[in-house]
Amino acid sequence: MLNIASGDLDLELACFLFSCCRRARSLHGPSPTTTFGPKACIQKNPASIMHVQDPLSQRLTWNKPPLSVLIIKKIHECSVVQPFMDLVTWLVQEKRMVVYVEVSTLEDEMIADDSGFQPIKQKLNTFKEGTEDLSGRVDFIICLGGDGTLLWASSLFQGSVPPVMAFHMGSLGFLTPFEFDNFKSQVNHVLEGHAALTLRSRLKCVITDAECDSHINSIEKPKKIQVLNEVVIDRGPSPYLCHLDLYLEGRHVTSVQGDGLIVSTPTGSTAYAVAAGASMVHPNVPAIMVTPICPHSLSFRPIVVPAGVEIKVMVSPESRGSAWVSLDGRNRQEIKVGDSVRITTSEFPIPSICKLDQISDWFDSLAECLHWNVRRPQRAFNNNDGANGRVKDDSDCSIEA
């Protein structure tokens, strides 16, 4: 039911519109031409899935009115219970929507013991993780909690993901821009299709065995796991250095000797990766970040590679021990010598609904959550003394209160 207006115009019409109404701002410059001179051009690739789109054109629109919603609530958090019940009651009674919740959510003691909520509870559709596929049944998602609720929503949808509206009711809230105070007007605004979208790219990961090149635990886990933040390969409980071989597009790039390696999306660049020294990258940038964890080398700096490349991280044959891999902090498992993790950008991003727009939301989160570039401002010169080149001596100074 989701569609994003892509604005596929030919080059002449695009140039005409640009000259008539220049945009105020954009994260991307104009798309480069694919023809070079009278006879040269870029070879077309029918398998291409990447398309860099002007973020300002990424607006939510509904082909049909949304009728179903998935509510994800932060667990073990008493302060979220009453807002959860208020939201569900309003969606069921006033908006007449089909509401999906997890079975574990309704098992919360405060929800189970609330007699006034029981009539609403009987109208809810429940599911358990790993036992039911919600694809095609949920029109959009509402998260109540912190950033972990958005990561949980990502894990529930291994294919196409409905739009996600995240309310800040957790600890950090970098990915949750909405406040719950006026939730009715904000949800109505989204249901009417008036919202900007940030397409948060995900990573598609496959863990392979060294001996038979088959998927590890393929019976219990999906063959391709979608990751929103990062893939972490570390030494786990081993006292030895983690020795990993890093490949890009089949080419051996370098060997990693240290505590491990982080392969992250732009969304994940402000999570574990930034703590390990990586740059913070806007989620609209098509890229993958590769960041070492405590490398035993003074020259191993974090790198950024194009989103379309395939990365392979293999436990080196020369490694003294095994390594451990975790995907968005979950599905942690041991990988032995010769085992590898193949990573590339997924074709299924997370359409995250913006409170304002893609630019404002991100910089607001940097300022409020990470206190980016916070410092005391430098004071101006008094009486233009500094501007005239005069240096004050001690007699010019006074003690400030």
Side-chain angles (χ1 to χ4, degrees), residues 261-278:
L261 194 69
I262 304 170
V263 181
S264 61
T265 63
T267 296
S269 70
T270 51
Y272 192 179
V274 74

Side-chain angles (χ1 to χ4, degrees), residues 273-390:
V274 74
S279 295
M280 296 182 291
V281 181
H282 191 279
N284 275 110
V285 178
I288 300 176
M289 276 58 68
V290 180
T291 307
I293 306 173
C294 298
H296 201 252
S297 168
L298 296 178
S299 59
F300 195 170
R301 307 304 304 160
I303 60 174
V304 180
V305 298
V309 303
E310 182 184 73
I311 297 174
K312 184 177 80 168
V313 182
M314 183 179 71
V315 182
S316 175
E318 301 177 359
S319 177
R320 294 185 177 183
S322 60
W324 289 77
V325 59
S326 61
L327 313 173
D328 276 345
R330 305 177 68 240
N331 301 314
R332 186 166 175 82
Q333 60 183 286
E334 184 180 13
I335 52 176
K336 300 182 179 180
V337 173
D339 294 348
S340 62
V341 184
R342 296 179 181 271
I343 307 165
T344 190
T345 299
S346 169
E347 60 267 39
F348 300 111
I350 297 289
S352 180
I353 299 174
C354 301
K355 180 180 179 181
L356 298 175
D357 57 59
Q358 300 90 340
I359 300 174
S360 300
D361 282 15
W362 193 66
F363 280 100
D364 287 347
S365 293
L366 287 183
E368 295 174 10
C369 300
L370 300 183
H371 302 291
W372 176 63
N373 197 29
V374 174
R375 73 176 296 270
R376 285 179 138 186
Q378 186 182 44
R379 291 182 298 176
F381 288 118
N382 294 325
N383 301 324
N384 295 323
D385 288 334
N388 295 329
R390 175 171 173 253

Side-chain angles (χ1 to χ4, degrees), residues 20-261:
C20 294
C21 183
R22 178 168 293 184
R23 296 167 304 186
R25 61 187 187 274
S26 173
L27 294 181
H28 297 292
S31 298
T33 180
T34 56
T35 58
F36 312 106
K39 296 183 178 179
C41 65
I42 293 179
Q43 182 179 1
K44 293 183 179 180
N45 180 12
S48 175
I49 62 172
M50 293 296 299
H51 175 63
V52 178
Q53 182 182 341
D54 182 358
L56 292 183
S57 69
Q58 294 175 357
R59 306 287 301 182
L60 173 66
T61 181
W62 302 99
N63 292 329
K64 298 179 180 179
L67 302 175
S68 59
V69 57
L70 167 64
I71 309 295
I72 297 178
K73 182 187 77 69
K74 182 179 180 180
I75 61 173
H76 309 309
E77 182 60 51
C78 297
S79 62
V80 185
V81 173
Q82 189 59 50
F84 167 78
M85 293 191 293
D86 293 342
L87 174 64
V88 170
T89 301
W90 177 71
L91 289 171
V92 172
Q93 290 185 341
E94 296 190 28
K95 306 305 292 185
R96 305 294 180 182
M97 299 195 73
V98 178
V99 178
Y100 289 86
V101 296
E102 291 184 87
V103 172
S104 58
T105 299
L106 299 182
E107 292 174 349
D108 187 295
E109 291 184 1
M110 294 183 65
I111 297 176
D113 296 340
D114 192 306
S115 58
F117 188 68
Q118 296 308 311
I120 300 296
K121 181 179 177 181
Q122 296 175 359
K123 298 179 181 180
L124 302 181
N125 293 270
T126 59
F127 72 96
K128 288 186 178 180
E129 182 206 9
T131 61
E132 298 181 52
D133 185 10
L134 296 176
S135 301
R137 296 160 60 185
V138 174
D139 294 335
F140 79 111
I141 304 169
I142 296 179
C143 295
L144 303 176
D147 296 345
T149 57
L150 192 62
L151 295 175
W152 182 250
S154 172
S155 69
L156 294 177
F157 294 85
Q158 293 298 303
S160 179
V161 186
V164 182
M165 185 179 189
F167 286 91
H168 174 36
M169 306 185 73
S171 302
L172 187 62
F174 193 90
L175 306 178
T176 54
F178 291 94
E179 299 294 336
F180 193 77
D181 295 339
N182 55 340
F183 73 91
K184 294 182 181 180
S185 62
Q186 295 183 97
V187 174
N188 278 328
H189 192 72
V190 171
L191 294 177
E192 293 168 0
H194 306 303
L197 287 176
T198 295
L199 297 183
R200 300 185 180 276
S201 62
R202 294 195 290 179
L203 300 176
K204 180 171 60 179
C205 310
V206 179
I207 303 174
T208 57
D209 186 277
E211 298 179 355
C212 55
D213 198 36
S214 62
H215 302 298
I216 296 178
N217 299 332
S218 59
I219 298 178
E220 302 177 2
K221 294 183 174 62
K223 295 181 179 180
K224 298 177 182 179
I225 303 176
Q226 307 288 328
V227 175
L228 177 57
N229 262 359
E230 72 275 302
V231 179
V232 178
I233 303 100
D234 58 61
R235 62 190 179 98
S238 172
Y240 304 113
L241 287 174
C242 192
H243 193 168
L244 307 171
D245 289 333
L246 177 63
Y247 295 83
L248 261 68
E249 292 296 311
R251 179 183 184 274
H252 181 260
V253 176
T254 189
S255 293
V256 182
Q257 296 183 80
D259 280 355
L261 194 69

